[in-house]
Amino acid sequence: MNDQAQTFQPMEGEYGGDALPTPAIAVTSIILSLGVLAIANGLMFAFIPLRLSAEGFSPTWAGSILTALAAGGMAACFMTGHLVRRVGHARVFMTLTAIIILSNAVIGMETNPYLWLVARMLYGFAMNGLFIVAQSWLNDVLENDIRGRVLAIFYVTYVVALGVGSYGISYIDISGNTAPVIGVVFAAISIIPVGLTRLRPPPPPETASIALNLAWQVSPVGVAGMLAVGGLSVMVAGFAPIHAAATGLTQSEIALLMFAMPLGTILIQVPFGWLSDRMDRRYMMVAAGALVFLGGLLAARADGGSIMLLLAVYMIWSGATETIFSLSSAHAGDRAQKKDLVSVSSTLLFAWSLSGFIIPGGTTVLTAVVGTQAFMYVAIFVALLLVAFIIWRIRIAEATPADETVDFAPLPAQAPLPAELAYEYEVGDEEEFRAAAESR
């Protein structure tokens, strides 16, 4: 089976590469699979804190489960490439989806926070791995003239479906296991489009290395942005329903809040991305960081107020957080040389994953001390540090010339960076990596 997995020869009638040209409609199988799965994911993100709160568990349990999810996601960054090398993209895609089904099934068995912690760690591993596989697959089969449009549709579909799934909790009795069962059903359905796809499997990924010194030399602002947004995105999206449940919002209000937050991603990213292509991108990163800072302050003051005000605040706050992710990625792409792109991108993914584990973990500890509003204070502090650092870099480093910048692409911070970034990492000497890249 290994020999078969290592040889990726297009079969007759497959799309991509030397087989049939890839029409945009042919990639809908992957987009549809992730969209259907996102509905299940959004539903479970809303269900878990609500159910734990209804059962009388401390909010720190929900925070611990969120941290476990991030830990699983970080593990996927190191293991996904090895799995793809062994059995190929399609088999890994379906295997990881099966793990998500298992995770949802375990949560539906009984309200046991210890079991849920393990289940969500498995979910984090599987979901990050799925994004890595899906995005590398799309990048391999798409031609340059349609790649940007298709990936934009891919991201928007996932974000909107995530919000739809979260909103669905308003129609479900959280005292039973209906939500996990629905999550299992949607996750199972998501396997079908990929199982029937005619897209050819990509070749095995090359090994990428983590080169922290290199990435910092290329783009200190890009690395700092990822170190900030990895924790911010997981924390804001994950602790918002935890805090909402603790402060007494109704189930339907929490569902509406979680539906609005992903929409803020589209609302903020598009104009910020358009402007960042026409000026020093760091100015837009400062503006996004300032919005995150302001959003944290307003969120703290909006508690107990109008639900419409709360929706507006969280929509802008979440959207600004996600925008830092896209801007950081684009800024690093502006400054990296072609030979360093894989290494720099891999390092950015590692920084994002590490932050997504450490910051929510620390916030969970603070929650036990100061209450569920702790995530607001942490977000304010992290955003302030990021803004101060970027302003300092603007003062001492020149902007990238306009003719050397890449095009901005909207990316959700809830997913890993696209393309060949997240495969088997080898932490080693950056100069050796450079030499190896030049020799290929």
Side-chain angles (χ1 to χ4, degrees):
M1 187 175 73
N2 287 346
D3 293 339
Q4 184 181 15
Q6 294 293 331
T7 305
F8 292 94
Q9 297 295 332
M11 297 176 60
E12 183 178 355
E14 286 186 329
Y15 290 119
D18 296 328
L20 299 176
T22 307
I25 192 66
V27 300
T28 55
S29 58
I30 296 177
I31 297 174
L32 181 60
S33 285
L34 265 294
V36 171
L37 189 58
I39 296 175
N41 295 345
L43 182 63
M44 295 305 293
F45 268 111
F47 170 77
I48 288 173
L50 283 171
R51 179 61 176 269
L52 289 174
S53 176
E55 294 287 339
F57 288 99
S58 167
T60 55
W61 269 114
S64 298
I65 291 171
L66 183 65
T67 304
L69 185 153
M74 187 163 57
C77 298
F78 295 91
M79 297 177 63
T80 302
H82 177 69
L83 294 173
V84 171
R85 286 173 184 275
R86 287 182 61 84
V87 298
H89 287 69
R91 290 189 180 97
V92 171
F93 191 102
M94 289 185 278
T95 299
L96 294 174
T97 305
I99 293 175
I100 291 180
I101 293 173
L102 174 63
S103 170
N104 293 342
V106 168
I107 290 174
M109 290 169 57
E110 62 174 307
T111 308
N112 185 324
Y114 294 100
L115 280 178
W116 286 21
L117 191 146
V118 175
R120 293 303 277 178
M121 183 180 295
L122 288 173
Y123 165 83
F125 171 81
M127 199 61 224
N128 264 27
L130 279 171
F131 262 100
I132 292 166
V133 170
Q135 292 174 69
S136 66
W137 201 342
L138 289 175
N139 274 285
D140 180 76
V141 300
L142 292 173
E143 299 297 330
N144 289 337
D145 59 339
I146 64 171
R147 179 178 288 112
R149 282 172 289 170
V150 172
L151 288 177
I153 293 172
F154 172 72
Y155 296 128
V156 170
T157 298
Y158 183 82
V159 168
V160 172
L162 196 68
V164 170
S166 296
Y167 186 68
I169 197 68
S170 61
Y171 300 100
I172 294 175
D173 179 9
I174 62 169
S175 64
N177 64 355
T178 304
V181 169
I182 293 175
V184 167
V185 171
F186 273 89
I189 293 173
S190 74
I191 298 176
I192 297 174
V194 168
L196 299 176
T197 186
R198 293 176 63 191
L199 287 175
R200 73 169 178 84
E206 294 184 3
T207 299
S209 81
I210 294 176
L212 292 172
N213 289 339
L214 172 62
W216 185 261
Q217 292 168 8
V218 169
S219 178
V221 169
V223 174
M226 287 297 174
L227 285 173
V229 76
L232 283 173
S233 62
V234 173
M235 186 178 61
V236 172
F239 277 90
I242 296 172
H243 177 68
T247 53
L249 263 67
T250 66
Q251 184 174 329
S252 59
E253 289 173 336
I254 294 174
L256 190 59
L257 178 68
M258 295 191 69
F259 175 73
M261 289 173 65
L263 298 184
T265 300
I266 303 171
L267 178 68
I268 302 295
Q269 278 207 45
V270 172
F272 271 55
W274 185 84
L275 289 171
S276 75
D277 281 339
R278 289 157 177 79
M279 64 173 67
D280 186 342
R281 228 181 283 276
R282 295 174 297 180
Y283 288 114
M284 299 312 300
M285 291 184 68
V286 169
L291 272 182
V292 174
F293 175 84
L294 182 62
L297 292 175
L298 292 176
R301 294 184 62 87
D303 276 350
S306 165
I307 183 61
M308 297 308 297
L309 174 62
L310 202 63
L311 292 176
V313 168
Y314 274 84
M315 183 182 292
I316 295 174
W317 193 21
S318 176
T321 301
E322 301 274 326
T323 300
I324 294 174
F325 181 86
S326 301
L327 293 173
S328 298
S329 175
H331 180 73
D334 292 341
R335 293 178 174 264
Q337 297 182 32
K338 186 175 182 179
K339 64 181 181 179
D340 295 328
L341 277 175
V342 173
S343 184
V344 169
S345 298
S346 301
T347 306
L348 292 180
L349 175 58
F350 174 75
W352 174 81
S353 301
L354 182 64
S355 173
F357 172 67
I358 292 176
I359 292 180
T363 304
T364 300
V365 175
L366 286 177
T367 296
V369 178
V370 302
T372 55
Q373 70 271 29
F375 81 108
M376 301 174 185
Y377 307 140
V378 174
I380 290 169
F381 178 70
V382 172
L384 184 61
L385 285 181
L386 178 63
V387 168
F389 177 77
I390 297 174
I391 291 175
W392 175 67
R393 288 296 304 176
I394 291 173
R395 291 176 59 87
I396 67 171
E398 295 182 358
T400 305
D403 58 350
E404 297 179 13
T405 60
V406 299
D407 291 334
F408 175 88
L411 304 171
Q414 301 302 313
L417 292 168
E420 68 282 3
L421 319 183
Y423 294 107
E424 272 181 320
Y425 294 139
E426 296 177 353
V427 181
D429 183 78
E430 287 84 354
E431 293 302 323
E432 292 183 3
F433 180 81
R434 287 175 182 267
E438 292 172 353
S439 65
R440 284 198 292 267

